[in-house]
Amino acid sequence: MASFADALEENPAPRRLGDIRLRYEPGRLLGESLSPAYWRRQLPGACLLVAALCAAGAVGALVWGSGEGGLPPLTVALGGLGTALVGAALWLEGQLGRRRFVLHFPTERLRLEQLRWAPGATRVEWVPFDEVFAVEVVERAPRRYALVVAWRSGGETAEARRAVLVEHIGAGEEEALFRVWRLLHNAFGLRGAGIS
């Protein structure tokens, strides 16, 4: 595997592909999705803040509402809006999740990470190079692609698993896509040279 790392040093991977920034360090190739814009990172917190204000307003409307039976309409409206905003915050938080992958050449393992903004919520998985059976180029829309790795843990009878390495690859990046696909294909020791 040292010869592959040497070849990578001589012919480095592109610095960026789709939504991933690529970087080579001795013995490993790192790919990390770009950080979302500042305002996008603030949206889940803003939704939760407004939801808390809606909850406080609903409690206030309930306490100071009319003495008639049943819930005041303002309480119901604010409670429903607060619940919808919490759901929106959770959905937005899920959209902010970033990805990172690292090819460790000395140990011949691929580290896949799902990065989350919440502390301690990052998920890490290690995949030995020998378990990878495909690196696929998937067309998401006309001339928009994703790069996906597929592996089986536990032998040929195990269920195949897939993970997206690179998303949002545009038509103008086809040469860089082919270079990275081929680099990964060779790193995992896969046969064949054409994109499938």
Side-chain angles (χ1 to χ4, degrees):
M1 200 50 68
S3 61
F4 179 78
D6 292 341
L8 185 57
E9 279 187 42
E10 293 171 10
N11 185 17
R15 293 189 181 274
R16 186 168 171 190
L17 178 65
D19 66 342
I20 296 286
R21 185 178 312 123
L22 294 164
R23 184 174 81 239
Y24 179 75
E25 296 176 357
R28 56 190 195 159
L29 175 71
L30 293 90
E32 184 172 23
S33 60
L34 303 171
S35 179
Y38 176 79
W39 65 271
R40 283 195 63 207
R41 293 193 311 262
Q42 303 308 313
L43 279 176
C47 286
L48 289 176
L49 177 64
V50 175
L53 294 173
C54 286
V59 169
L62 184 61
V63 170
W64 290 292
S66 63
E68 303 168 15
L71 292 174
L74 182 60
T75 301
V76 174
L78 287 174
L81 180 60
T83 303
L85 285 169
V86 168
L90 292 172
W91 182 80
L92 288 168
E93 177 70 24
Q95 298 300 307
L96 288 178
R98 297 184 304 149
R99 298 176 320 282
R100 178 173 29 209
F101 66 89
V102 183
L103 274 75
H104 288 268
F105 298 114
T107 61
E108 297 186 7
R109 294 191 309 165
L110 169 66
R111 185 174 77 207
L112 299 168
E113 299 178 8
Q114 289 291 329
L115 307 172
R116 302 287 180 205
W117 296 107
T122 297
R123 192 181 71 204
V124 178
E125 184 165 7
W126 289 91
V127 179
F129 284 5
D130 292 343
E131 292 181 359
V132 175
F133 66 87
V135 177
E136 303 167 343
V137 175
V138 179
E139 188 171 10
R140 298 286 196 209
R143 301 198 69 186
R144 301 289 290 178
Y145 305 98
L147 195 57
V148 178
V149 65
W151 73 95
R152 282 190 182 92
S153 298
E156 293 292 321
T157 58
E159 186 176 335
R161 299 181 57 202
R162 288 176 165 66
V164 174
L165 297 182
V166 186
E167 194 69 80
H168 308 296
I169 303 169
E173 298 178 290
E174 289 174 348
E175 182 182 334
L177 168 60
F178 181 71
R179 283 179 61 199
V180 172
W181 174 85
R182 202 170 162 123
L183 179 152
L184 293 170
H185 204 257
N186 290 334
F188 299 131
L190 303 175
R191 295 184 182 197
I195 295 181
S196 56

